[in-house]
Amino acid sequence: MRSKLVVGNWKMHGSLAANSELLKGLLAGIARAGSVDVAVCAPFPYLAQLQAMLAATPLRWGAQSLSEHASGAYTGEVSAAMLGDFGCRFVIVGHSERRTLYCETDATVAAKFVAAKAAGLIPILCVGETLAQRDAGETLRVVRSQLDAVIAVAGADCFAGAVVAYEPVWAIGTGRTATPAQAQEVHAAIRARIAEADAAVAPVLQILYGGSVKASSAGELFAQQDIDGGLVGGASLVADEFLAICQAANR
Ligand code: PEP
């Protein structure tokens, strides 16, 4: 039996004051999440605030990206060890916005995944197809190739201590959610691909769904056999909505 995990991706939103209010709201209602693990991933400058406010609480936290390099002349970059200094447990790797807007290739994503694991962080590897790829019937091929790129670099057993998030690009920030059946089909294919690489890790790997998850859609999505929680963008910025999503995972 896999435990459920719900992760908020704040993207480039927030301020010290707004984060403080949001975190207080989450902490006031976190009991609603029951046994569900809950985390928020914030912009780098706010990681110290998360560490200060969440260290003694059930809420975990993480970052939204990292450098593939351990240290050196990489102006503007942040290493995995630096994230560790601020108590991060998770780091999102390969979000579609990073792949599209910042030209992160499968190779870069794989290197970041390796760097995260080497520093003891849990990478949340995002995979997913564009609408054109879905319409062309290429969804499973695309997702498989994104997984293969990481396995080729990080090894067959690399998903031990990692999380995968299936995020159809057409569903991120659009208000359009994959149907539970569409999501389940891809989640099952992801688990099957991981099982080919490592039969032991596949049954315990947490595979999250992301893409316009709302409290109203979360219950049915999270009830699917291979959906182990969510990666939540916009709805994670509203305490009550995010808590209701966490509560939906607690069933
Ligand atoms: C995301 O940021 O990963 C995401 C899924 O965003 P949203 O929930 O807003 O679609």
Side-chain angles (χ1 to χ4, degrees):
M1 181 64 180
R2 294 178 297 275
S3 59
K4 291 275 201 289
L5 170 67
V6 177
V7 179
N9 174 15
W10 288 359
K11 309 198 186 197
M12 200 174 75
H13 293 293
S15 65
L16 286 173
N19 301 347
S20 178
E21 286 310 301
L22 177 54
L23 292 172
K24 281 184 203 156
L26 293 179
L27 291 172
I30 193 64
R32 289 162 63 186
S35 61
V36 176
D37 291 320
V38 181
V40 291
C41 291
F44 295 134
Y46 299 128
L47 295 177
Q49 182 186 26
L50 297 192
Q51 189 175 34
M53 287 188 71
L54 302 182
T57 78
L59 261 178
R60 302 283 170 243
W61 63 95
Q64 301 169 13
S65 187
L66 80 165
S67 172
E68 62 270 45
H69 303 289
S71 66
Y74 302 105
T75 301
E77 290 292 280
V78 173
S79 73
M82 292 171 186
L83 300 183
D85 277 348
F86 289 92
C88 289
R89 173 168 300 190
F90 298 99
V91 60
I92 299 171
V93 173
H95 191 282
S96 76
E97 288 154 15
R98 302 293 316 173
R99 293 180 190 257
T100 309
L101 302 174
Y102 300 97
C103 304
E104 289 190 8
T105 63
D106 277 348
T108 318
V109 171
K112 291 185 179 211
F113 182 97
V114 169
K117 287 200 71 183
L121 300 173
I122 299 174
I124 302 172
L125 173 72
C126 298
V127 297
E129 81 289 359
T130 64
L131 189 56
Q133 289 166 332
R134 173 163 282 270
D135 288 346
E138 292 181 347
T139 298
L140 298 186
R141 182 195 63 73
V142 168
V143 167
R144 187 182 175 97
S145 75
Q146 290 169 333
L147 296 171
D148 287 352
V150 173
I151 292 168
V153 172
D157 61 350
C158 66
F159 288 102
V163 171
V164 173
Y166 168 55
E167 297 211 307
V169 178
W170 49 271
I172 298 175
T174 60
R176 192 176 159 191
T177 314
T179 65
Q182 283 174 324
Q184 167 57 28
E185 180 193 21
V186 182
H187 281 237
I190 290 170
R191 200 175 303 286
R193 172 62 189 103
I194 305 300
E196 286 172 32
D198 186 332
V201 82
V204 296
L205 177 70
Q206 288 174 314
I207 307 176
L208 311 183
Y209 168 79
S212 297
V213 175
K214 303 263 182 313
S216 55
S217 58
E220 224 191 321
L221 284 161
F222 299 165
Q224 301 301 306
Q225 193 181 338
D226 289 293
I227 301 185
D228 306 309
L231 179 55
V232 182
S236 72
L237 298 170
V238 182
D240 274 349
E241 181 76 9
F242 188 58
L243 287 168
I245 292 169
C246 298
Q247 192 172 15
N250 188 33
R251 287 194 187 122

